[in-house]
Amino acid sequence: MLRPVVISSQDGAYFLFGGEKMKEQLISISAAAKTAVEACENEAQIEEVRVKYLGKKGELTAILKQMGGLSPEERPIMGQLVNQAKQELEALITDKKEILKQAARDEKLKAETIDITMPAKELKVGKLHPLNTVLDDMINIFQSMGFDVVDGPEVETDYYNFECLNVPADHPARDMQDTFYLADNILLRTQTSAAQIRTMENLKPPIRVICPGRVFRADEVDATHSPVFHQIEGLVVDKGVTMCDLKGVLEQFAHEIYGKDTKVKFRPSFFPFTEPSVEVDVTCSECAGKGCRVCKGSGWIEILGAGMVHPNVLRSCGIDPEEYSGFAFGIGLDRLTTTRYKISDIRLLFENDKRFLDQF
Ligand code: PHE
């Protein structure tokens, strides 16, 4: 490719000789470089080769430095040849680098192969306590009927827990055996009904609230009794509220929680703060009313107490019973939970045994 250079003087012979020699050198360096590139096995090696031939002190770069010894005619031709050789080598190195990179990647992937048949580690996710699951359902149902959720204190005064609720001083519920007294007039609330009074003191009718919470009674502990349990108090006060509204709301509630086919029975009962008062039973969800172990053969399960708010109670909260009327109910959350999940012992709800809780 090197064109014959015109020899114009004795110097010319030297230049031609110089050019030929450089050309040979270039060819042999290029060949050696190509062999070296081909022999590379990893990226570090190829980088070494690149520095050796193309680096600042590399062999091809060194040739360029000898160009000063060439004739002006030879110089551009030689320069072109060296550059061409450099470009070829650069391209070769880039290609080889890519091949080696790909090979390294394949190798790595092969080494990291995931065994998808291996069983995964079980991830433990926290869950709601069954009482909370049922409570959330109940709150949803009542909120959809327009009820607000309110809260009340667990440590109550005698006034809110009994007196204001029309419970006379000699009522058995006030007996020392049923109530945990903390001091003379301070006690652990025995019913969420105390929240009725606090609500009526703070809100003006129309009132539509539920108050879920813990209640306490000095009961002997067994499979169906616990000194701590849960109620959801409901209270509605407005003009013209009747027993029909009470029945409608509670029937709707029972159907939502137990299903449309559930029958609801209102039994006359007595509570000092409601008149008339009822207790509400629903057909046993386990046997659909036929009678089984869960309902103790009766086919019915009692789920709540309710009634029309007693005029004395309205009056003591500053609400005129001639103008307003209302109903209240108190649902037992624990019974609802044990029947829904077929839990045979109420104590399981409070012991927090992980083996029990993990089943929900
Ligand atoms: N507080 C009553 C109880 O604990 C239930 C109840 C609430 C009854 C509201 C009537 C009205 O048994």
Side-chain angles (χ1 to χ4, degrees):
M1 274 198 282
L2 195 65
R3 277 190 287 120
V5 178
V6 183
I7 306 164
S8 54
S9 65
Q10 69 262 54
D11 284 341
Y14 165 77
F15 285 133
L16 180 64
F17 176 65
E20 282 300 334
K21 198 179 158 201
M22 269 179 75
K23 193 181 160 193
E24 269 168 35
Q25 235 182 329
L26 183 63
I27 289 168
S28 83
I29 292 174
S30 293
K34 273 179 202 166
T35 320
V37 169
E38 254 144 51
C40 283
E41 282 175 355
N42 55 47
E43 287 182 86
Q45 283 176 5
I46 194 107
E47 181 60 15
E48 243 170 61
V49 172
R50 192 190 65 78
V51 172
K52 182 163 184 235
Y53 292 97
L54 297 172
K56 259 194 192 146
K57 293 178 185 155
E59 294 183 23
L60 276 177
T61 321
I63 285 205
L64 277 176
K65 285 180 188 151
Q66 295 173 25
M67 298 265 286
L70 295 184
S71 72
E73 292 86 358
E74 276 181 314
R75 232 175 268 155
I77 300 164
M78 201 60 208
Q80 209 183 348
L81 280 178
V82 175
N83 277 334
Q84 200 181 323
K86 275 180 88 171
Q87 275 167 16
E88 272 174 24
L89 189 58
E90 265 163 17
L92 213 64
I93 287 177
T94 314
D95 286 355
K96 183 75 178 178
K97 264 190 178 167
E98 198 42 55
I99 290 168
L100 286 174
K101 217 186 211 167
Q102 185 60 45
R105 216 179 289 147
D106 289 350
E107 197 64 32
K108 199 169 166 222
L109 280 180
K110 218 193 268 170
E112 285 176 355
T113 328
I114 299 165
D115 178 2
I116 55 166
T117 63
M118 202 162 103
K121 263 192 192 157
E122 198 190 335
L123 215 62
K124 291 269 183 214
V125 182
K127 294 174 257 189
L128 285 182
H129 191 283
L131 281 172
N132 281 330
T133 307
V134 177
L135 176 60
D136 283 354
D137 287 355
M138 292 172 74
I139 288 177
N140 277 339
I141 293 169
F142 282 111
Q143 275 180 336
S144 76
M145 292 195 253
F147 284 75
D148 285 331
V149 180
V150 298
D151 202 10
E154 289 174 1
V155 174
E156 265 297 3
T157 60
D158 189 279
Y159 175 78
Y160 284 108
N161 196 77
F162 293 129
E163 202 179 312
C164 207
L165 282 164
N166 204 27
V167 181
D170 52 358
H171 192 279
R174 274 178 106 152
D175 196 293
M176 289 289 286
Q177 279 169 17
D178 290 324
T179 308
F180 288 112
Y181 278 93
L182 303 177
D184 250 0
N185 280 315
I186 314 281
L187 47 84
L188 293 178
R189 67 177 173 194
T190 61
Q191 49 188 356
T192 43
S193 299
Q196 285 186 34
I197 308 302
R198 291 184 177 274
T199 305
M200 284 190 275
E201 281 180 353
N202 292 324
L203 299 177
K204 297 238 162 309
I207 293 169
R208 221 183 297 174
V209 296
I210 54 170
C211 173
R214 249 191 300 240
V215 297
F216 308 84
R217 284 183 205 178
D219 268 336
E220 210 51 68
V221 184
D222 63 28
T224 51
H225 292 89
S226 161
V228 188
F229 55 103
H230 302 81
Q231 289 185 334
I232 291 129
E233 193 77 12
L235 176 69
V236 173
V237 181
D238 201 353
K239 286 179 180 161
V241 174
T242 69
M243 192 82 184
C244 269
D245 300 311
L246 166 69
K247 285 183 77 177
V249 165
L250 293 179
E251 233 163 42
Q252 175 72 15
F253 163 73
H255 285 159
E256 298 240 9
I257 206 117
Y258 285 111
K260 278 258 168 291
D261 298 332
T262 304
K263 290 201 190 80
V264 185
K265 182 162 78 177
F266 291 80
R267 268 187 294 111
S269 184
F270 171 81
F271 297 102
F273 37 91
T274 47
E275 181 61 34
S277 301
V278 288
E279 277 176 307
V280 177
D281 301 341
V282 293
T283 39
C284 174
S285 54
E286 180 64 18
C287 62
K290 287 187 203 78
C292 67
R293 214 169 61 94
V294 175
C295 56
K296 298 198 181 88
S298 72
W300 295 94
I301 292 176
E302 184 197 320
I303 57 163
L304 62 92
M308 301 305 292
V309 182
H310 198 290
N312 286 352
V313 176
L314 289 175
R315 216 172 282 126
S316 64
C317 296
I319 294 173
D320 181 3
E322 298 296 329
E323 198 181 348
Y324 291 101
S325 57
F327 65 81
F329 54 86
I331 307 172
L333 177 62
D334 311 83
R335 174 81 63 85
L336 237 64
T337 307
T338 51
T339 49
R340 177 192 289 192
Y341 293 111
K342 303 185 184 76
I343 298 166
S344 54
D345 193 322
I346 193 174
R347 284 170 288 197
L348 288 165
L349 292 177
F350 302 102
E351 281 166 355
N352 283 336
D353 186 329
K354 235 181 129 284
R355 291 166 301 179
F356 167 74
L357 295 175
D358 277 346
Q359 298 172 43
F360 298 93

